[in-house]
Amino acid sequence: MSSTLLSRSAHPAETEQQGWWPHRQGRHQTMRHIISLLLQNEAGALARVAGLFSARGYNIESLSVAATHEPQVSRLTLVIYGDEAVIDQIIKQSRKLIDVLDVVDLTSRAHLESELLIVKVEVMVGREDALDACLYRHHSFTIDETDRVRTLQFAGRGELVDAFLRELSGVSRLLELARSGTAAVECGKAILAGAG
């Protein structure tokens, strides 16, 4: 599988060298956390989990939720920047919610993560070849084309989505886009309870 589509998380030492993780804000060290939960499909379950984080004043950077292969169970993935000790407390409180079957912070574990981008662009006259080259370099592809408007699909880690959009905006005019939240799973045999 292409590393662009789904890539392994970088080692903390590598990411720190890249200058984007961890972040320091004031006296508290904040880190990017990817929290995965399995939830019973019950009314209000999502709001109760999200409320635990928002009540502590943390903005949720991304949130994705969808049913698993078990129809009564959904998987929720949150991306948040926060103080490690406080996040740990919130996770412990999440485990006490009756709707939560399992929860894990994937941040310090080897994991795979990806998000989906669908973007609509106007093809600029004379830039067709440059647009095609951009799509080829980023392993993106066209899912719809009408007149001079193309709708493109791309999947990858958030920073790869950002890099694609930066280059794409130089060879076409962005008209509309939609990004999913991050989806993530731990590498290897480890699974969340209730998902197997």
Side-chain angles (χ1 to χ4, degrees):
M1 178 176 291
S2 167
S3 60
T4 301
L5 298 180
L6 192 63
S7 50
R8 183 184 298 268
S9 63
H11 186 277
E14 297 173 20
T15 55
E16 189 167 10
Q17 288 173 356
Q18 293 166 0
W20 58 269
W21 188 77
H23 297 281
R24 290 186 179 278
Q25 294 178 349
R27 295 186 304 122
H28 303 287
Q29 184 178 27
T30 62
M31 297 172 58
R32 179 177 183 260
H33 291 264
I34 301 177
I35 315 295
S36 281
L37 304 97
L38 289 183
L39 292 172
Q40 291 282 4
N41 282 331
E42 300 290 345
L46 173 60
R48 284 189 282 276
V49 172
L52 281 179
F53 289 86
S54 61
R56 297 287 187 138
Y58 286 117
N59 288 326
I60 295 172
E61 182 173 283
S62 89
L63 184 153
S64 68
V65 60
T68 66
H69 60 289
E70 297 178 350
Q72 71 278 16
V73 177
S74 291
R75 185 174 184 123
L76 168 67
T77 305
L78 287 160
V79 176
I80 191 169
Y81 286 88
D83 178 88
E84 190 166 3
V86 177
I87 297 272
D88 186 56
Q89 290 179 354
I90 298 173
I91 290 173
K92 289 176 180 174
Q93 292 174 2
S94 299
R95 289 195 176 100
K96 297 177 182 176
L97 294 176
I98 191 168
D99 308 306
V100 175
L101 302 175
D102 201 359
V103 56
V104 65
D105 184 352
L106 295 174
T107 310
S108 60
R109 304 182 184 196
H111 65 274
L112 302 164
E113 63 176 275
S114 184
E115 66 176 80
L116 172 68
L117 167 73
I118 297 177
V119 57
K120 191 177 293 185
V121 301
E122 179 182 357
V123 181
M124 300 163 66
V125 175
R127 303 304 304 271
E128 295 87 348
D129 290 345
L131 174 59
D132 288 339
C134 173
L135 301 187
Y136 179 79
R137 277 193 296 276
H138 290 272
H139 305 284
S140 175
F141 56 92
T142 301
I143 55 176
D144 183 61
E145 185 168 8
T146 303
D147 297 328
R148 300 197 66 80
V149 174
R150 285 200 208 179
T151 303
L152 313 170
Q153 180 173 309
F154 177 82
R157 293 171 60 96
E159 61 267 31
L160 296 178
V161 174
D162 293 338
F164 174 58
L165 285 172
R166 280 195 298 272
E167 185 169 341
L168 186 63
S169 64
V171 297
S172 63
R173 188 166 76 89
L174 305 188
L175 300 175
E176 183 180 18
L177 66 85
R179 293 174 70 159
S180 71
T182 296
V185 296
E186 189 169 354
C187 294
K189 295 182 179 179
I191 60 172
L192 290 179

